[in-house]
Amino acid sequence: MVGRDAVIFPEVVAVADALLDPVMAQLVWADSGGERPRPLWADGKFCRRLGERVGRPWLGPLIAVDYGGPLVAWMGAVIRLRRRPEGRSGPYARFDENLWWVRQEHQPSSMAAGLRVLTSEKKMPGSGTNWRAVVPAEQRFVITNLLGEAEEQLQQLRGAQVGTTAEVARSMLEGLNRGTDLLDQMLGRVMVAAVNTGARVDEVARWARLSEGEAVEVLGTYRGADGE
């Protein structure tokens, strides 16, 4: 944590330079399908080029599927501004159409705040009173990414209602199926995390609105998938 800023600084400069480049914004627009909207894909030109610019070609596909991350949020803002340059009304317009707005959870905490959180969590390991203290960081990372990916997938449907009936229906149904699949994955992993930290299976089943037998089946599926 102490060395974080010094380590990431060159990459931050490279990414900022890329995001200010109109050519990169044009790649985002092309990846989105332009005036014929389509879901962003995992091997898009923007993400590949960004990986090349920071000297990590393998990074592109990872960025492209991090749907809850700040870079994909920036891409979404670029697309929305081009499709609706006059902006839109509503409580979230100022966020959705601000290229540089970053969600609070993606804003780096100060070193002091970060150390306070770490100290607090170490004082109550395994107590079950603090989610971050008892659920491993890897599991929390997967759950958070699934939530962000599902949110982004469903948000993309806002602009999908343009075109023929068949095109719109196909795009929306495929997007809804993808979003539902992501939410199901997140449900399973949250259930596993809860049981692993001491919650009873019957309680977890009730919270998830499943029968106990269904909950056991879900837990078996995702524990096996995670190698637990």
Side-chain angles (χ1 to χ4, degrees), residues 108-130:
S109 59
S110 69
M111 187 187 306
L115 291 173
R116 279 198 299 271
V117 170
L118 289 175
T119 301
S120 173
E121 291 177 355
K122 285 184 179 297
K123 287 181 179 177
M124 49 182 178
S127 67
T129 59
N130 186 309

Side-chain angles (χ1 to χ4, degrees), residues 124-213:
M124 49 182 178
S127 67
T129 59
N130 186 309
W131 173 267
R132 287 175 55 89
V134 295
V135 178
E138 294 80 2
Q139 281 183 282
R140 288 188 278 108
F141 177 79
V142 170
I143 291 168
T144 301
N145 272 12
L146 284 169
L147 177 59
E149 190 174 345
E151 180 183 13
E152 183 66 26
Q153 182 69 41
L154 295 175
Q155 283 181 345
Q156 288 182 25
L157 297 181
R158 292 178 180 175
Q161 300 185 57
V162 177
T164 66
T165 301
E167 289 174 337
V168 171
R170 178 184 58 78
S171 178
M172 293 194 71
L173 289 172
E174 288 178 349
L176 286 168
N177 274 321
R178 174 62 175 156
T180 300
D181 180 59
L182 291 165
L183 290 173
D184 284 342
Q185 291 182 50
M186 190 176 70
L187 175 73
R189 285 177 164 80
V190 172
M191 289 173 63
V192 169
V195 170
N196 285 349
T197 56
R200 298 201 316 268
V201 172
D202 62 320
E203 289 182 325
V204 171
R206 186 174 71 253
W207 298 334
R209 296 188 178 181
L210 298 173
S211 70
E212 193 166 340

